[in-house]
Amino acid sequence: MGVCVFYTIQGGSEREGDLGLIPPVSEVGFTVQFDPLEGLTFVDLAELYELYKPRLPIIQQVPPLPTMQLTPGEEQFAGAPFIVPVALPRAWFVADDSVELVQFQSDRISYNWRRLNPNETTAEYPGYDALKQRLKSEKGVLDAWIERRGWSIRRNSVGELLYTNTIPLMVDGEPRRISDVLSFYKPINKRLIQHFQMAWVVGLDSAPGAVTVTAAVSHTPDGILALVIQMAARFALDDVDCFERFDEAHLKIHEIFADTVTDSVRGVAA
Amino acid sequence: MTLAVSIGMGATDMATVMIAGPASIARPAAGAPPPEFQGNASIQAPRTSAVLRADEWSAALRAKFALVRTLKAGWDGPRSRAVSPVLLYKIDRVLRDSLAGGAIPPLPLVVPSPEGGVQIEWRHPTLELEVYFGPHGEISALLEDLEAGTEIEKTDRDAIDLLVRWAPRFSSAARDEAVPVGATTSSDIKIAA
């Protein structure tokens, strides 16, 4: 009987390191959307920044995003100007080493971890559980600030868990085909193509929501062709422990990833 | 062609998974002539468009980085060092973060240094911005106002702040002048299915 050793997005770096495998995760993002903070001003943003500044000192401001909907892509049809008439920017608080990022706008907080180095350089991925703890910590800072400012308790509405996996299409100097990476992609004729992108949506089992999966060819920062598999789970957070819902979404993402890639990518050992 | 499905709160813009780079960068040809790093010279087929989409900008920059990666130790004299992929990853991250919030500037010049660092440069008749990424992770930035004859020099976090605030301003200058930029078309791509 074969023993499956997943090239996993779930475990910590120590486990994969023991197996000589490095997870292909290049970014993980957690988002909690809540009832908007009414009357938020740029002065409030400055005060909030001071709380994150010791760990996340680099500030950036980017355009705000429309309200997240549970139906994938739905918010694209509702222009942001109709939803947020006078919008403050979305604030980015970035760590000195660029690995960690907290995003904040009036109706949500996100925590992002980004791999900074090439996959083969170091198994730096800390694992889902460690990142979830970081989300809890960063959201705790925000919640405490909201309470001190006298805003009412926010109702969490929508959560999102995002995993981006980058799998180089070049291993030890040898090119790898898309069909070497995606388990279900089996072209009859293995010809060269010019563009590749697929997207599909998988429903969640236990709560309203879905996982949107995309697979597309891109380049690593140093120019190597790579297949990028992105999975974004959106789910309802009404009246539940939002962190438990993240766990459910994570398990679903793990299942989808395992089904999507080939044994050679998962690192199956006979 | 853009078929992006906009999902997620990722800092990795999904636009970056669009293909717009040259297939040849995946495996640079042995014995190829030295890459041209200076100017807005095209790496493959030129495309006259001063304003690139984010995905095109990212792909074109990564194509330049792929050329930098081909440099071996000794490329500029016996003591010159190769640029590490780790440094290129860092530059890519810093630039994409820094430029996430505003207008996209024209593709910068990418100038490797013999010490193993990389300088990113934007030039305009009245303004120049140079950001140097050293081989050990150090960052410095120099902003020069050529009309006023003044300059600002910053290091580390302050250098990134300078980059965030000033690089997007080069985009309006680029629109005015319609400078050709290096980018490839999807027909240049060859992916093994």
Side-chain angles (χ1 to χ4, degrees):
Chain A
M1 189 173 73
V3 178
C4 289
V5 182
F6 282 151
Y7 192 51
T8 180
I9 59 172
Q10 185 175 22
S13 57
E14 184 179 349
R15 179 177 164 221
E16 283 93 18
D18 290 341
L19 300 169
L21 299 172
I22 301 171
V25 181
S26 51
E27 179 169 3
V28 182
F30 299 76
T31 297
V32 176
Q33 179 174 276
F34 42 75
D35 293 341
L37 293 165
E38 305 294 345
L40 191 77
T41 70
F42 62 91
V43 175
D44 300 314
L45 286 183
E47 187 178 301
L48 185 62
Y49 168 59
E50 288 300 319
L51 300 176
Y52 288 106
K53 187 177 179 181
R55 289 167 292 103
L56 306 164
I58 299 171
I59 191 166
Q60 170 68 296
Q61 53 183 20
V62 303
L65 291 171
T67 304
M68 288 197 298
Q69 307 291 334
L70 285 180
T71 306
E74 188 172 298
E75 65 266 24
Q76 294 179 52
F77 297 95
F82 299 106
I83 298 169
V84 188
V86 180
L88 287 171
R90 180 163 38 117
W92 279 20
F93 307 134
V94 186
D96 266 332
D97 63 3
S98 301
V99 171
E100 290 185 295
L101 159 71
V102 166
Q103 304 182 62
F104 170 76
Q105 68 179 50
S106 63
D107 67 349
R108 78 194 70 177
I109 182 171
S110 298
Y111 169 77
N112 294 68
W113 172 89
R114 295 92 55 86
R115 183 189 293 279
L116 187 61
N117 295 303
N119 276 23
E120 66 270 23
T121 303
T122 174
E124 59 188 305
Y125 172 55
Y128 168 79
D129 289 335
L131 295 180
K132 190 179 75 170
Q133 289 305 316
R134 296 287 297 122
L135 167 71
K136 282 185 176 180
S137 172
E138 303 301 358
K139 188 170 186 304
V141 171
L142 176 66
D143 288 344
W145 177 72
I146 288 173
E147 193 173 350
R148 281 200 304 274
R149 294 299 310 269
W151 272 299
S152 59
I153 300 298
R154 300 291 102 187
R155 184 184 65 91
N156 299 320
S157 55
V158 178
E160 183 186 85
L161 178 62
L162 172 77
Y163 265 86
T164 303
N165 298 275
T166 302
I167 303 164
L169 293 173
M170 180 77 73
V171 179
D172 297 329
E174 291 299 316
R176 187 155 54 175
R177 292 177 177 277
I178 293 172
S179 53
D180 294 333
V181 175
L182 294 179
S183 60
F184 56 83
Y185 186 69
K186 302 181 189 305
I188 296 172
N189 297 309
K190 293 181 183 268
R191 53 171 58 99
L192 296 175
I193 59 176
Q194 295 177 0
H195 184 88
F196 182 87
Q197 182 172 12
M198 301 181 74
W200 63 100
V201 178
V202 182
L204 292 175
D205 302 325
S206 58
V211 183
T212 302
V213 188
T214 62
V217 171
S218 179
H219 295 99
T220 61
D222 57 347
I224 304 295
L225 275 175
L227 191 71
V228 177
I229 301 173
Q230 192 173 83
M231 292 165 286
R234 289 240 180 116
F235 41 90
L237 289 178
D238 289 335
D239 301 325
V240 296
D241 177 346
C242 70
F243 300 112
E244 285 184 12
R245 280 285 160 79
F246 276 101
D247 292 346
E248 294 168 15
H250 175 247
L251 285 175
K252 192 67 176 181
I253 284 176
H254 187 229
E255 284 177 22
I256 293 169
F257 185 76
D259 291 343
T260 300
V261 299
T262 60
D263 288 351
S264 64
V265 175
R266 293 202 311 261
V268 170
Chain B
M1 180 166 60
T2 299
L3 298 172
V5 177
S6 179
I7 56 171
M9 286 283 285
T12 303
D13 190 335
M14 196 54 194
T16 63
V17 302
M18 299 299 96
I19 299 170
S24 60
I25 64 175
R27 183 184 276 179
E36 185 172 8
F37 303 103
Q38 298 281 354
N40 282 317
S42 167
I43 294 171
Q44 296 264 315
R47 206 173 71 100
T48 304
S49 170
V51 182
L52 294 173
R53 294 196 319 264
D55 57 322
E56 295 175 323
W57 194 94
S58 182
L61 183 69
R62 289 177 174 190
K64 287 195 171 193
F65 285 177
L67 292 175
V68 172
R69 200 185 179 193
T70 65
L71 298 175
K72 307 296 183 193
W75 66 274
D76 190 32
R79 293 186 179 179
S80 57
R81 300 167 61 180
V83 176
S84 78
V86 173
L87 180 62
L88 295 175
Y89 269 67
K90 174 169 184 167
I91 299 170
D92 180 82
R93 169 58 63 198
V94 169
L95 289 181
R96 285 195 295 136
D97 275 5
S98 301
L99 303 175
I104 301 172
L107 205 61
L109 315 183
V110 177
V111 185
S113 76
E115 296 78 26
V118 173
Q119 185 154 300
I120 304 295
E121 300 179 6
W122 285 274
R123 295 185 182 278
H124 181 264
T126 62
L127 195 69
E128 292 183 1
L129 177 62
E130 300 173 353
V131 185
Y132 178 71
F133 296 83
H136 306 296
E138 66 274 25
I139 303 175
S140 58
L142 176 67
L143 178 71
E144 289 186 273
D145 184 331
L146 302 176
E147 280 188 332
T150 57
E151 60 183 41
I152 301 171
E153 191 166 8
K154 300 287 185 184
T155 59
D156 301 327
R157 189 186 306 159
D158 293 333
I160 295 177
D161 283 343
L162 204 65
L163 171 67
V164 169
R165 284 184 281 114
W166 283 92
R169 301 191 187 198
F170 284 82
S171 61
S172 57
R175 276 195 293 273
D176 292 344
E177 297 174 9
V179 179
V181 295
T184 55
T185 63
S186 61
S187 60
D188 297 318
I189 307 296
K190 295 292 180 289
I191 306 161

